[in-house]
Amino acid sequence: MAGHSQFKNIMVRKGKQDAKRGKVFTKIIREIISAAKSGMPDPAANPRLRSAIQWAREENMPRDKIDAAIKRGSGNSDADNFETIRYEGYGAGGVAVIVQALTDNRNRTAPDIRSTFTKCSGTMGEPGSVAFMFDYVGLIYYPAEAATDEAMLEAAIEAGADNCESDAHGHSITTSVENFLNAREALDKAFGAAMSAKLSWQPKMTSTPNEEQARQVLKLIDMLEDNDDVQDVFTNADISPELMEKLSA
């Protein structure tokens, strides 16, 4: 287990802004409804629902909204039938992109996603066209002040994590999909709630776009995340902090 290697955020996720909070809540509500429909409405007996509620708490969603979404999902209505779909493709410069969607109408979502790729100098591919470049894992992230590198590494090992990487900004713990919830709960007990904890597509290798390509990739991510049907976006783009700052200015 690598405990002291330099951690790099290679998913290139832009921070959520307050202006987007309404859309974030929409995505969370969909996930809670879908999770409640797919299993027990009791979070203790439904790991997916428990994870969705944790996401809601991380985004400071009011408790009444969480409860209402669980109630909708545990009912017998056919109005909230969401389907999980993965789309894959390439952004500018050949950057690999995976889009996780939760939709009640794939005939609406697929054309929207394809159009977004096209508008941002990208191409949507067939299922499996880029997934082989990624590993599907649990990814838990803590800020650097949560613990020392040694303490986090020791706790990660005890929790059964596969890897723990730390740098000046924070600690990134990788787990198997099967052990994700157990590891997260163990780390929660040791250090409190993580800054981020989710199942993630982690690239096996990165792609470094030039400035104009990076601009298009970030535009693609923004446009995809602005789509209510899109739950998450992952890429293998490796954009330096300096270039990110320049493009965000």
Side-chain angles (χ1 to χ4, degrees), residues 95-240:
V95 167
V97 181
I98 292 180
V99 182
Q100 296 274 41
L102 192 59
T103 178
D104 56 359
N105 186 348
R106 65 162 61 203
N107 292 327
R108 175 194 66 233
T109 306
D112 285 350
I113 300 299
R114 188 178 300 278
S115 174
T116 300
F117 269 94
T118 301
K119 290 176 181 177
C120 300
S121 303
T123 305
M124 194 166 86
E126 297 297 320
S129 58
V130 304
F132 70 93
M133 303 181 194
F134 295 75
D135 289 320
Y136 193 46
V137 299
L139 192 62
I140 304 168
Y141 187 76
Y142 279 91
E145 59 268 21
T148 64
D149 295 357
E150 291 76 12
M152 187 61 72
L153 175 60
E154 182 177 348
I157 293 173
E158 289 292 327
D162 294 336
N163 196 21
C164 177
E165 297 185 358
S166 300
D167 68 7
H169 302 290
H171 313 279
S172 178
I173 298 94
T174 305
T175 76
S176 66
V177 173
E178 295 76 17
N179 193 46
F180 170 64
L181 289 173
N182 289 337
R184 189 181 71 180
E185 289 175 0
L187 293 170
D188 280 356
K189 289 180 181 178
F191 306 112
M195 178 180 290
S196 176
K198 62 173 60 180
L199 295 177
S200 171
W201 288 93
Q202 191 172 44
K204 299 175 183 178
M205 61 186 69
T206 60
S207 176
T208 305
N210 62 32
E211 181 174 335
E212 182 53 36
Q213 291 166 346
R215 191 186 308 277
Q216 289 295 322
V217 169
L218 294 177
K219 179 183 176 183
L220 173 62
I221 294 171
D222 275 346
M223 290 183 66
L224 287 170
E225 290 185 338
D226 203 42
N227 187 319
D228 286 343
D229 293 338
V230 173
Q231 293 295 95
D232 226 330
V233 182
F234 304 93
T235 86
N236 70 343
D238 185 0
I239 303 176
S240 70

